[in-house]
Amino acid sequence: MTLNIKNHPCFNDSSRHTFGRIHLPVAPKCNIQCNYCNRKFDCMNENRPGITSKVLSPKQALWYLDNAMKLSPNISVVGIAGPGDPFANPDETMETLRLVREKYPEMLLCVATNGLDVLPYIEELAELQVSHVTLTINAIDPEIGQEIYAWVRYQKKMYRDRQAAELLLENQLAALQKLKRFGVTTKINSIIIPGVNDTHVLEVARQVASMGADILNALPYYNTTETVFENIPEPDPLMVMEIQGEAGKLLPQMKHCARCRADAVGIIGEFNSDEMMQKLAEASRMPKNPGEHRPYIAVASLEGVLINQHLGEADRFLVYALDEEKKSCTLVDSRPAPPPGGGKDRWEALAAKLSDCHAVLVNSAGDSPQTVLKASGIDVMSLEGVIEEAVYGVFTGQNLKHLMKSSQIHACKSGCSGAGNGCD
């Protein structure tokens, strides 16, 4: 099927008042830490990358898309732009793209990435007719790049300083080269940061133009509190205009970027409607696979009051249901955990025992059980505090950041300003 790529409002200025886009927030983890980025959730008054109200599973995202299309039938593009990086979450990203392509064969698909981990997926992206990819390249000189990035996490190893900038740049340029080899329209985002790379953006433009990039989005840096760059002022409009003008001599410019949220939907520049956000929240409260009936939440607890057991140490799980009339939760069952040992078989047995639960709340959990339970549609959430508050909050889609374990506060699913060790 031939897609009409002219209907992409981000890549074609003449389409942006007619066609809308939707970003599906299925990618919470990030593999780098930019010194200008603080990815806080639930900041509804802010319109910038890295922000989302909810995070969805791929099948929740498809349900949400189905309903969004009814509310905004002019949507021509489905994109994945975070709130982390799509390819720090490759399973979720690729499954979402497959689901959308199967159900909406005429839909334009796009992703926005920092380019660190996209290389292994480019061939399948082309097969899925992902027609547009955005790469954010802020520097082609590692000396400048190391001032922009606090760390890079690649293949489970941390890199910092110049080594991090060199690795990121190497993968970005290789990704650009491969995307163009597979015929994917590629936009380069280059963020103008005064005093850091403002005099360097033209060098970025020159390099990517020579490699076949289709369009450049030289966009002003957004000043964000609680970041390394919080004291750097945003560039004035004249600086932005001059850089865009000079870069425009090298390749076409995108000048209508609205620095969209990771859950943006509708016409560029318009705020998400309340009705659309209600559908997003509704999708997030569903089972990971919305067609399944999973009315319960399981909890690991020593005494039945607090969430205070590691998943692997729990000898039983308390199972709760939502009481909508009383606006509370009710204990409905206590189920013995599978006996210790057995590796993956143990976690598959636990998934079977909790097959009617869409989440299990624990004090902590290892990677292996999380992977198995997640594949079975059960979300593993590491929290601490009173069971009733946490369970009711999960059932109703509340912000539970205050119940997240302190070691999780700076991990990948919140303001990602820590050491990056939570990105497995």
Side-chain angles (χ1 to χ4, degrees):
M1 180 176 180
T2 302
L3 303 174
N4 189 352
I5 64 173
K6 292 182 179 180
N7 292 345
H8 197 308
C10 301
F11 284 70
N12 186 359
D13 187 38
S14 63
S15 298
R16 66 186 175 102
H17 298 296
T18 306
F19 294 98
R21 82 292 186 233
I22 184 169
H23 289 172
L24 300 179
V26 298
K29 297 179 183 178
C30 200
N31 45 14
I32 69 175
Q33 176 59 53
C34 305
N35 286 330
Y36 52 76
C37 182
N38 184 358
R39 300 182 304 110
K40 289 185 175 179
F41 292 3
D42 289 321
C43 302
M44 289 304 296
N45 293 323
E46 290 191 85
N47 196 47
R48 59 181 170 88
I51 292 292
T52 187
S53 176
K54 305 293 180 185
V55 173
L56 305 179
S57 72
K59 290 184 178 177
Q60 287 173 338
L62 185 65
W63 182 93
Y64 170 56
L65 174 61
D66 291 341
N67 285 270
M69 292 291 291
K70 297 173 185 176
L71 295 172
S72 184
N74 64 347
I75 291 173
S76 64
V77 181
V78 170
I80 299 176
D85 187 85
F87 300 98
N89 309 259
D91 294 341
E92 294 83 353
T93 294
M94 298 309 294
E95 182 183 355
T96 302
L97 293 171
R98 294 182 199 114
L99 289 170
V100 176
R101 173 56 70 226
E102 181 179 0
K103 188 161 187 180
Y104 296 95
E106 77 291 347
M107 186 71 71
L108 295 177
L109 299 179
C110 72
V111 293
T113 173
N114 57 48
L116 179 66
D117 288 315
V118 68
L119 269 169
Y121 304 97
I122 290 175
E123 189 166 354
E124 186 179 1
L125 291 176
E127 290 174 358
L128 289 169
Q129 291 186 284
V130 175
S131 56
H132 299 76
V133 170
T134 293
L135 294 174
T136 297
I137 302 178
N138 293 319
I140 57 165
D141 180 348
E143 286 296 316
I144 296 174
Q146 70 177 341
E147 299 299 320
I148 299 173
Y149 306 105
W151 50 257
V152 163
R153 194 166 191 266
Y154 183 64
Q155 297 181 349
K156 297 190 176 183
K157 184 177 179 181
M158 292 291 296
Y159 299 86
R160 298 181 185 276
D161 304 321
R162 185 184 177 96
Q163 189 179 21
E166 288 176 342
L167 175 63
L168 177 60
L169 177 62
E170 179 183 352
N171 285 13
Q172 288 172 331
L173 296 182
L176 173 57
Q177 188 174 43
K178 189 171 181 179
L179 285 165
K180 295 314 303 173
R181 189 163 71 246
F182 278 87
V184 179
T185 300
T186 306
K187 173 166 66 72
I188 304 302
N189 278 2
S190 198
I191 300 169
I192 303 168
I193 311 167
V196 179
N197 74 338
D198 52 311
T199 61
H200 181 63
V201 172
L202 288 180
E203 293 305 312
V204 175
R206 188 170 289 108
Q207 175 68 50
V208 299
S210 71
M211 298 177 68
D214 296 278
I215 187 171
L216 178 73
N217 179 20
L219 68 160
Y221 140 86
Y222 184 102
N223 181 268
T224 304
T225 59
E226 300 179 34
T227 66
V228 174
F229 286 173
E230 66 179 348
N231 294 319
I232 295 179
E234 296 183 9
D236 64 70
L238 181 59
M239 174 189 286
V240 175
M241 185 172 65
E242 289 177 347
I243 291 173
Q244 290 176 339
E246 289 300 310
K249 298 174 183 177
L250 300 168
L251 74 173
Q253 300 293 296
M254 176 183 179
K255 299 182 180 180
H256 59 278
C257 178
R259 299 187 290 200
C260 297
R261 297 164 53 94
D263 59 9
V265 58
I267 299 295
I268 291 177
E270 295 181 357
F271 283 100
N272 296 352
S273 69
D274 291 341
E275 191 174 10
M276 197 72 80
M277 289 299 92
Q278 288 170 6
K279 288 297 180 185
L280 178 64
E282 188 177 343
S284 73
R285 293 194 295 267
M286 291 181 161
K288 296 298 181 183
N289 300 323
E292 299 175 342
H293 183 57
R294 293 178 180 259
Y296 303 130
I297 291 175
V299 179
S301 174
L302 285 168
E303 74 302 297
V305 176
L306 301 174
I307 304 168
N308 54 15
Q309 274 194 299
H310 186 284
L311 179 69
E313 296 175 349
D315 58 1
R316 51 111 195 225
F317 290 89
L318 305 178
V319 178
Y320 290 83
L322 176 65
D323 188 330
E324 294 187 10
E325 288 188 8
K326 295 182 179 180
K327 295 185 178 180
S328 64
C329 54
T330 303
L331 178 66
V332 295
D333 199 5
S334 177
R335 301 177 187 173
K344 183 179 178 182
D345 290 343
R346 182 189 186 199
W347 306 123
E348 289 176 344
L350 178 60
K353 280 182 176 287
L354 302 181
S355 61
D356 54 358
C357 299
H358 66 267
V360 56
L361 313 188
V362 298
N363 192 252
S364 57
D367 291 341
S368 178
Q370 289 192 64
T371 299
V372 174
L373 291 171
K374 182 178 179 182
S376 300
I378 302 171
D379 195 15
V380 180
M381 304 180 68
S382 294
L383 302 172
E384 57 187 0
V386 177
I387 290 174
E388 291 186 1
E389 179 186 2
V391 171
Y392 185 73
V394 173
F395 270 128
T396 55
Q398 297 178 21
N399 184 345
L400 297 179
K401 186 174 180 180
H402 64 292
L403 297 180
M404 293 174 64
K405 294 192 65 180
S406 58
S407 61
Q408 300 287 323
I409 292 299
H410 294 303
C412 298
K413 290 191 177 181
S414 63
C416 192
S417 57
N421 295 323
C423 293
D424 279 331

Coordinates of all heavy atoms in Angstrom, one line a residue, residues 276-355:
M276 N -10.3 13.7 25.5 CA -9.3 12.9 25.0 C -8.4 12.4 26.2 O -8.0 11.2 26.3 CB -8.4 13.6 24.0 CG -7.5 12.7 23.2 SD -8.4 11.7 22.0 CE -8.6 13.0 20.7
M277 N -8.1 13.2 27.2 CA -7.4 12.9 28.3 C -8.1 11.9 29.2 O -7.5 11.0 29.9 CB -7.0 14.1 29.1 CG -5.9 14.9 28.4 SD -4.3 14.1 28.1 CE -4.6 13.4 26.5
Q278 N -9.4 12.0 29.2 CA -10.2 11.0 30.0 C -10.1 9.6 29.3 O -10.0 8.6 30.0 CB -11.7 11.4 30.0 CG -12.0 12.6 30.9 CD -13.4 13.2 30.7 OE1 -14.2 12.6 30.0 NE2 -13.6 14.3 31.4
K279 N -10.1 9.6 28.0 CA -9.9 8.3 27.3 C -8.5 7.7 27.6 O -8.3 6.5 27.8 CB -10.1 8.4 25.8 CG -11.6 8.7 25.5 CD -12.4 7.5 25.8 CE -13.9 7.7 25.5 NZ -14.7 6.5 26.0
L280 N -7.5 8.6 27.7 CA -6.1 8.1 28.0 C -6.1 7.5 29.4 O -5.5 6.5 29.6 CB -5.2 9.3 27.8 CG -3.7 9.0 28.2 CD1 -3.1 8.0 27.2 CD2 -2.9 10.3 28.2
A281 N -6.7 8.2 30.3 CA -6.7 7.7 31.7 C -7.5 6.4 31.8 O -7.1 5.5 32.5 CB -7.4 8.8 32.6
E282 N -8.6 6.3 31.1 CA -9.4 5.1 31.1 C -8.6 3.9 30.5 O -8.6 2.8 31.0 CB -10.7 5.3 30.2 CG -11.6 4.2 30.3 CD -12.9 4.4 29.5 OE1 -13.2 5.6 29.2 OE2 -13.6 3.5 29.2
A283 N -7.8 4.2 29.4 CA -7.0 3.1 28.9 C -5.9 2.7 29.8 O -5.7 1.5 29.9 CB -6.3 3.7 27.6
S284 N -5.4 3.6 30.6 CA -4.3 3.2 31.5 C -4.8 2.4 32.7 O -4.0 1.7 33.3 CB -3.6 4.5 32.1 OG -4.5 5.2 33.0
R285 N -6.1 2.5 33.0 CA -6.7 1.7 34.1 C -7.1 0.3 33.7 O -7.5 -0.5 34.5 CB -7.9 2.4 34.7 CG -7.5 3.7 35.4 CD -8.6 4.2 36.3 NE -9.8 4.6 35.5 CZ -10.0 5.8 35.0 NH1 -9.2 6.8 35.3 NH2 -11.1 6.1 34.3
M286 N -7.1 0.0 32.4 CA -7.5 -1.3 31.9 C -6.4 -2.3 32.1 O -5.2 -2.0 32.4 CB -7.8 -1.2 30.4 CG -9.0 -0.4 30.0 SD -9.2 -0.4 28.2 CE -10.9 0.1 28.1
P287 N -6.7 -3.6 32.0 CA -5.7 -4.6 32.0 C -4.7 -4.3 30.8 O -5.1 -3.7 29.9 CB -6.5 -5.9 31.7 CG -7.9 -5.6 32.2 CD -8.1 -4.2 31.9
K288 N -3.5 -4.8 30.9 CA -2.5 -4.6 29.9 C -3.0 -5.1 28.5 O -2.7 -4.5 27.5 CB -1.2 -5.3 30.2 CG -0.5 -4.8 31.5 CD -0.2 -3.3 31.4 CE 0.5 -2.8 32.6 NZ 0.8 -1.3 32.6
N289 N -3.8 -6.1 28.6 CA -4.5 -6.6 27.4 C -6.0 -6.4 27.6 O -6.7 -7.1 28.2 CB -4.2 -8.1 27.1 CG -2.8 -8.4 26.9 OD1 -2.1 -7.6 26.3 ND2 -2.3 -9.5 27.4
P290 N -6.5 -5.2 27.1 CA -7.9 -4.8 27.5 C -9.0 -5.8 27.2 O -10.0 -5.7 27.9 CB -8.1 -3.5 26.6 CG -6.7 -3.0 26.4 CD -5.9 -4.3 26.2
G291 N -8.8 -6.8 26.3 CA -9.8 -7.8 26.1 C -10.0 -8.8 27.2 O -11.0 -9.4 27.3
E292 N -9.0 -8.8 28.1 CA -9.0 -9.8 29.2 C -9.8 -9.2 30.4 O -9.9 -8.0 30.6 CB -7.6 -10.1 29.6 CG -6.7 -10.8 28.6 CD -5.3 -10.9 29.1 OE1 -4.9 -10.3 30.0 OE2 -4.6 -11.7 28.5
H293 N -10.4 -10.1 31.2 CA -11.1 -9.7 32.4 C -10.2 -9.9 33.5 O -10.0 -11.1 34.0 CB -12.4 -10.5 32.5 CG -13.2 -10.0 33.7 ND1 -13.6 -8.7 33.9 CD2 -13.6 -10.7 34.8 CE1 -14.3 -8.6 35.0 NE2 -14.3 -9.8 35.6
R294 N -9.5 -8.9 34.0 CA -8.6 -9.0 35.2 C -9.0 -8.0 36.2 O -8.5 -6.9 36.3 CB -7.2 -8.7 34.7 CG -6.6 -9.8 33.8 CD -5.2 -9.4 33.4 NE -4.6 -10.4 32.5 CZ -3.7 -11.3 32.9 NH1 -3.3 -11.3 34.1 NH2 -3.2 -12.1 32.0
P295 N -10.0 -8.3 37.0 CA -10.6 -7.3 37.9 C -9.8 -7.1 39.2 O -10.2 -6.2 40.0 CB -12.0 -7.9 38.2 CG -11.7 -9.4 38.1 CD -10.7 -9.6 37.1
Y296 N -8.7 -7.8 39.5 CA -8.1 -7.8 40.8 C -6.6 -7.3 40.7 O -6.0 -7.2 39.7 CB -8.1 -9.2 41.4 CG -9.4 -9.8 41.5 CD1 -9.7 -11.1 41.0 CD2 -10.5 -9.1 42.1 CE1 -10.9 -11.7 41.1 CE2 -11.7 -9.7 42.2 CZ -12.0 -11.0 41.7 OH -13.2 -11.6 41.8
I297 N -6.2 -6.9 41.9 CA -4.8 -6.5 42.2 C -4.2 -7.4 43.3 O -4.9 -7.5 44.3 CB -4.7 -5.0 42.5 CG1 -5.0 -4.2 41.3 CG2 -3.2 -4.7 43.0 CD1 -5.0 -2.7 41.5
A298 N -3.0 -7.9 43.1 CA -2.4 -8.8 44.2 C -1.3 -7.9 44.9 O -0.8 -7.0 44.3 CB -1.8 -10.0 43.6
V299 N -1.1 -8.3 46.2 CA -0.2 -7.6 47.0 C 0.7 -8.5 47.8 O 0.2 -9.5 48.3 CB -0.9 -6.6 48.0 CG1 0.1 -5.9 48.9 CG2 -1.8 -5.6 47.3
A300 N 2.0 -8.2 47.9 CA 2.9 -9.0 48.8 C 3.1 -8.2 50.1 O 3.6 -7.1 50.1 CB 4.3 -9.2 48.1
S301 N 2.6 -8.9 51.2 CA 2.7 -8.2 52.5 C 2.9 -9.2 53.6 O 2.4 -10.3 53.6 CB 1.3 -7.5 52.7 OG 1.3 -6.9 54.0
L302 N 3.7 -8.8 54.6 CA 3.9 -9.7 55.8 C 2.7 -9.8 56.7 O 2.3 -10.9 57.1 CB 5.1 -9.2 56.6 CG 6.5 -9.4 56.0 CD1 7.5 -8.5 56.7 CD2 6.9 -10.8 56.0
E303 N 2.0 -8.7 56.9 CA 1.0 -8.7 57.9 C -0.4 -8.2 57.4 O -1.4 -8.2 58.1 CB 1.4 -7.8 59.1 CG 1.3 -6.3 58.9 CD 2.2 -5.8 57.7 OE1 3.4 -5.9 57.9 OE2 1.6 -5.3 56.8
G304 N -0.4 -7.8 56.1 CA -1.7 -7.5 55.5 C -2.1 -6.0 55.7 O -3.2 -5.6 55.4
V305 N -1.1 -5.2 56.1 CA -1.4 -3.8 56.3 C -0.5 -2.9 55.3 O -1.0 -2.0 54.6 CB -1.1 -3.3 57.7 CG1 -1.3 -1.8 57.8 CG2 -2.1 -4.0 58.7
L306 N 0.8 -3.3 55.2 CA 1.8 -2.6 54.4 C 2.3 -3.4 53.3 O 2.3 -4.7 53.3 CB 3.0 -2.2 55.3 CG 2.7 -1.3 56.5 CD1 3.9 -1.1 57.3 CD2 2.1 0.1 56.1
I307 N 2.7 -2.7 52.2 CA 3.4 -3.4 51.1 C 4.9 -3.5 51.5 O 5.6 -2.5 51.5 CB 3.3 -2.6 49.8 CG1 1.8 -2.4 49.4 CG2 4.0 -3.3 48.6 CD1 1.6 -1.4 48.3
N308 N 5.3 -4.7 52.0 CA 6.6 -4.7 52.6 C 7.3 -6.0 52.3 O 8.2 -6.4 53.1 CB 6.5 -4.5 54.1 CG 5.5 -5.4 54.8 OD1 5.1 -6.4 54.2 ND2 5.1 -5.1 56.0
Q309 N 7.0 -6.7 51.2 CA 7.7 -8.0 50.9 C 8.3 -7.9 49.5 O 7.6 -7.4 48.5 CB 6.8 -9.2 51.0 CG 6.8 -9.7 52.4 CD 6.1 -11.1 52.4 OE1 5.0 -11.3 52.1 NE2 6.9 -12.1 52.9
H310 N 9.5 -8.5 49.3 CA 10.0 -8.7 48.0 C 9.2 -9.8 47.3 O 8.7 -10.7 47.9 CB 11.5 -9.2 48.1 CG 12.2 -9.3 46.9 ND1 12.1 -10.4 46.0 CD2 13.2 -8.5 46.3 CE1 12.9 -10.2 45.0 NE2 13.6 -9.1 45.1
L311 N 9.0 -9.7 46.0 CA 8.2 -10.6 45.3 C 8.7 -12.1 45.5 O 7.9 -12.9 45.7 CB 8.3 -10.3 43.8 CG 7.5 -11.2 42.8 CD1 6.0 -11.1 43.0 CD2 7.9 -11.0 41.4
G312 N 10.0 -12.3 45.5 CA 10.5 -13.7 45.6 C 10.4 -14.2 47.0 O 10.5 -15.4 47.2
E313 N 10.2 -13.3 48.0 CA 10.2 -13.8 49.4 C 8.7 -14.0 49.9 O 8.5 -14.6 51.0 CB 10.9 -12.8 50.3 CG 12.4 -12.6 50.0 CD 13.0 -11.5 50.8 OE1 12.2 -10.7 51.4 OE2 14.2 -11.5 50.8
A314 N 7.8 -13.6 49.1 CA 6.4 -13.7 49.6 C 5.9 -15.2 49.5 O 6.2 -15.9 48.5 CB 5.5 -12.8 48.7
D315 N 5.3 -15.6 50.6 CA 4.7 -17.0 50.6 C 3.3 -17.0 50.3 O 2.7 -18.1 50.2 CB 5.0 -17.6 52.0 CG 4.4 -16.9 53.2 OD1 3.8 -15.8 52.9 OD2 4.6 -17.3 54.3
R316 N 2.7 -15.8 50.2 CA 1.3 -15.7 49.8 C 1.0 -14.3 49.2 O 1.8 -13.4 49.5 CB 0.3 -16.0 51.0 CG 0.6 -15.1 52.2 CD -0.4 -14.1 52.5 NE 0.1 -13.1 53.5 CZ -0.6 -12.7 54.5 NH1 -1.8 -13.1 54.8 NH2 -0.2 -11.7 55.3
F317 N -0.1 -14.2 48.5 CA -0.4 -12.9 47.9 C -1.9 -12.6 48.2 O -2.8 -13.4 48.1 CB -0.2 -13.0 46.4 CG 1.2 -13.0 45.9 CD1 1.9 -14.2 45.8 CD2 1.9 -11.8 45.7 CE1 3.2 -14.3 45.4 CE2 3.3 -11.9 45.4 CZ 3.9 -13.1 45.2
L318 N -2.1 -11.4 48.7 CA -3.4 -10.9 49.0 C -4.0 -10.3 47.8 O -3.4 -9.6 47.1 CB -3.4 -9.9 50.2 CG -2.7 -10.3 51.4 CD1 -2.6 -9.2 52.4 CD2 -3.3 -11.6 52.0
V319 N -5.3 -10.6 47.5 CA -5.9 -10.2 46.3 C -7.1 -9.3 46.6 O -8.0 -9.6 47.4 CB -6.4 -11.5 45.5 CG1 -7.2 -11.0 44.2 CG2 -5.3 -12.4 45.1
Y320 N -7.1 -8.1 45.9 CA -8.1 -7.1 46.2 C -8.9 -6.8 45.0 O -8.5 -6.9 43.9 CB -7.4 -5.8 46.7 CG -6.8 -5.9 48.0 CD1 -5.5 -6.5 48.2 CD2 -7.4 -5.5 49.2 CE1 -4.9 -6.6 49.5 CE2 -6.8 -5.6 50.4 CZ -5.6 -6.2 50.6 OH -5.0 -6.3 51.8
A321 N -10.2 -6.4 45.3 CA -11.1 -5.9 44.2 C -11.5 -4.5 44.5 O -11.4 -4.0 45.7 CB -12.4 -6.8 44.2
L322 N -11.9 -3.8 43.5 CA -12.4 -2.4 43.7 C -13.9 -2.4 44.1 O -14.7 -3.0 43.4 CB -12.2 -1.6 42.4 CG -12.7 -0.1 42.4 CD1 -11.9 0.7 43.4 CD2 -12.6 0.4 41.0
D323 N -14.2 -1.6 45.1 CA -15.6 -1.4 45.5 C -15.9 0.0 45.1 O -15.6 1.0 45.8 CB -15.8 -1.6 47.1 CG -17.2 -1.5 47.5 OD1 -18.0 -0.8 46.8 OD2 -17.6 -2.2 48.5
E324 N -16.5 0.2 44.0 CA -16.8 1.5 43.4 C -17.8 2.3 44.2 O -17.7 3.5 44.4 CB -17.3 1.4 42.0 CG -16.2 0.8 41.0 CD -16.7 0.9 39.6 OE1 -17.7 1.5 39.3 OE2 -16.0 0.3 38.7
E325 N -18.8 1.6 44.8 CA -19.8 2.4 45.6 C -19.1 3.0 46.9 O -19.4 4.1 47.2 CB -20.9 1.4 46.0 CG -21.8 1.0 44.9 CD -23.0 0.2 45.4 OE1 -23.2 0.1 46.6 OE2 -23.8 -0.3 44.5
K326 N -18.3 2.2 47.5 CA -17.7 2.7 48.8 C -16.4 3.5 48.5 O -15.8 4.0 49.4 CB -17.4 1.5 49.7 CG -18.6 0.8 50.2 CD -18.2 -0.3 51.2 CE -19.5 -1.0 51.7 NZ -19.1 -2.1 52.6
K327 N -16.0 3.5 47.2 CA -14.7 4.2 46.8 C -13.5 3.7 47.7 O -12.8 4.4 48.3 CB -14.8 5.7 47.0 CG -15.9 6.3 46.0 CD -15.9 7.8 46.0 CE -16.9 8.4 45.0 NZ -16.9 9.8 45.0
S328 N -13.4 2.3 47.7 CA -12.4 1.7 48.5 C -12.1 0.4 47.8 O -12.6 0.0 46.8 CB -12.8 1.5 49.9 OG -13.9 0.6 50.0
C329 N -11.2 -0.4 48.4 CA -10.8 -1.7 47.9 C -11.2 -2.8 49.0 O -11.2 -2.5 50.2 CB -9.4 -1.8 47.5 SG -8.2 -1.3 48.8
T330 N -11.4 -4.0 48.5 CA -11.9 -5.1 49.4 C -11.0 -6.3 49.2 O -10.7 -6.7 48.1 CB -13.3 -5.5 49.1 OG1 -14.2 -4.3 49.2 CG2 -13.8 -6.5 50.0
L331 N -10.6 -6.9 50.3 CA -9.8 -8.1 50.2 C -10.7 -9.3 49.9 O -11.7 -9.5 50.5 CB -9.1 -8.4 51.6 CG -8.3 -9.7 51.7 CD1 -7.1 -9.7 50.8 CD2 -7.9 -10.0 53.1
V332 N -10.4 -10.0 48.8 CA -11.3 -11.1 48.3 C -10.6 -12.5 48.4 O -11.3 -13.5 48.3 CB -11.8 -10.8 46.9 CG1 -12.6 -9.6 46.8 CG2 -10.6 -10.7 45.9
D333 N -9.3 -12.5 48.5 CA -8.7 -13.8 48.5 C -7.2 -13.7 49.0 O -6.6 -12.6 49.1 CB -8.6 -14.4 47.1 CG -8.4 -15.9 47.0 OD1 -8.4 -16.5 48.0 OD2 -8.3 -16.4 45.9
S334 N -6.7 -14.9 49.5 CA -5.3 -15.0 49.8 C -4.8 -16.3 49.1 O -5.3 -17.4 49.4 CB -5.1 -15.1 51.3 OG -3.8 -15.4 51.7
R335 N -3.8 -16.1 48.3 CA -3.3 -17.2 47.5 C -1.9 -17.6 47.8 O -1.0 -16.7 47.8 CB -3.5 -16.9 46.0 CG -4.9 -16.6 45.6 CD -5.0 -16.2 44.2 NE -6.4 -15.7 43.9 CZ -6.8 -15.2 42.8 NH1 -5.9 -15.0 41.8 NH2 -8.0 -14.8 42.6
P336 N -1.6 -18.9 48.0 CA -0.2 -19.3 48.3 C 0.7 -19.1 47.1 O 0.3 -19.3 46.0 CB -0.3 -20.7 48.7 CG -1.5 -21.2 48.0 CD -2.5 -20.0 48.0
A337 N 1.9 -18.6 47.4 CA 2.9 -18.5 46.3 C 3.5 -19.8 45.9 O 3.5 -20.8 46.7 CB 4.1 -17.6 46.7
P338 N 3.9 -20.0 44.7 CA 4.6 -21.2 44.3 C 5.8 -21.4 45.1 O 6.5 -20.5 45.6 CB 5.0 -21.0 42.8 CG 4.1 -19.9 42.3 CD 3.8 -19.0 43.5
P339 N 6.2 -22.7 45.4 CA 7.4 -22.9 46.2 C 8.7 -22.3 45.6 O 8.8 -22.2 44.4 CB 7.5 -24.5 46.3 CG 6.7 -24.9 45.1 CD 5.6 -23.9 44.9
P340 N 9.7 -21.9 46.5 CA 10.9 -21.3 46.0 C 11.6 -22.3 45.0 O 11.5 -23.5 45.1 CB 11.7 -21.1 47.2 CG 10.7 -21.0 48.3 CD 9.6 -22.0 47.9
G341 N 12.5 -21.7 44.2 CA 13.2 -22.5 43.2 C 12.5 -22.7 41.9 O 11.3 -22.4 41.8
G342 N 13.1 -23.2 40.9 CA 12.5 -23.5 39.7 C 12.6 -22.5 38.6 O 12.2 -22.7 37.5
G343 N 13.3 -21.3 39.0 CA 13.6 -20.3 38.0 C 12.3 -19.8 37.3 O 11.3 -19.5 37.9
K344 N 12.4 -19.8 36.0 CA 11.3 -19.2 35.2 C 10.0 -20.0 35.4 O 8.9 -19.4 35.4 CB 11.7 -19.3 33.7 CG 10.7 -18.7 32.7 CD 11.1 -18.7 31.3 CE 10.1 -18.1 30.4 NZ 10.5 -18.2 28.9
D345 N 10.1 -21.3 35.6 CA 8.9 -22.1 35.8 C 8.1 -21.5 37.1 O 6.8 -21.6 37.1 CB 9.2 -23.5 36.1 CG 9.7 -24.2 34.8 OD1 9.5 -23.6 33.7 OD2 10.3 -25.3 34.9
R346 N 8.8 -21.1 38.1 CA 8.1 -20.6 39.3 C 7.3 -19.3 38.9 O 6.2 -19.2 39.4 CB 9.2 -20.2 40.4 CG 8.5 -19.7 41.6 CD 9.6 -19.2 42.6 NE 8.9 -18.9 43.9 CZ 9.5 -18.1 44.8 NH1 10.7 -17.6 44.6 NH2 8.8 -17.8 45.9
W347 N 7.9 -18.5 38.1 CA 7.2 -17.2 37.8 C 6.0 -17.5 36.8 O 5.0 -16.8 36.9 CB 8.2 -16.2 37.3 CG 9.3 -16.0 38.2 CD1 10.7 -16.2 37.9 CD2 9.3 -15.7 39.6 NE1 11.4 -16.0 39.0 CE2 10.6 -15.7 40.1 CE3 8.2 -15.4 40.5 CZ2 10.9 -15.4 41.4 CZ3 8.5 -15.1 41.8 CH2 9.9 -15.1 42.2
E348 N 6.2 -18.5 36.0 CA 5.1 -18.8 35.1 C 3.9 -19.4 36.0 O 2.7 -19.1 35.7 CB 5.5 -19.8 34.0 CG 6.4 -19.1 33.0 CD 6.9 -20.1 32.0 OE1 6.9 -21.3 32.2 OE2 7.4 -19.6 30.9
A349 N 4.3 -20.2 37.0 CA 3.2 -20.7 37.9 C 2.6 -19.6 38.7 O 1.3 -19.6 38.9 CB 3.9 -21.7 38.9
L350 N 3.3 -18.6 39.1 CA 2.7 -17.4 39.8 C 1.8 -16.6 38.8 O 0.7 -16.2 39.2 CB 3.8 -16.5 40.3 CG 3.4 -15.2 41.0 CD1 2.5 -15.6 42.2 CD2 4.5 -14.4 41.5
A351 N 2.2 -16.5 37.6 CA 1.4 -15.8 36.6 C 0.1 -16.5 36.5 O -1.0 -15.9 36.3 CB 2.1 -15.7 35.3
A352 N 0.1 -17.8 36.5 CA -1.1 -18.6 36.4 C -2.0 -18.4 37.6 O -3.2 -18.3 37.4 CB -0.8 -20.1 36.2
K353 N -1.4 -18.4 38.8 CA -2.2 -18.2 40.0 C -2.8 -16.8 40.0 O -3.9 -16.6 40.6 CB -1.3 -18.3 41.2 CG -1.0 -19.7 41.6 CD -0.2 -19.8 42.9 CE 0.0 -21.2 43.4 NZ -1.2 -21.7 44.0
L354 N -2.2 -15.8 39.4 CA -2.7 -14.4 39.4 C -3.2 -14.0 38.1 O -3.2 -12.8 37.7 CB -1.5 -13.5 39.8 CG -0.8 -13.7 41.2 CD1 0.3 -12.7 41.4 CD2 -1.8 -13.7 42.3
S355 N -3.7 -15.0 37.3 CA -4.2 -14.7 36.0 C -5.4 -13.7 35.9 O -5.6 -13.1 34.8 CB -4.5 -16.0 35.3 OG -5.6 -16.6 35.9

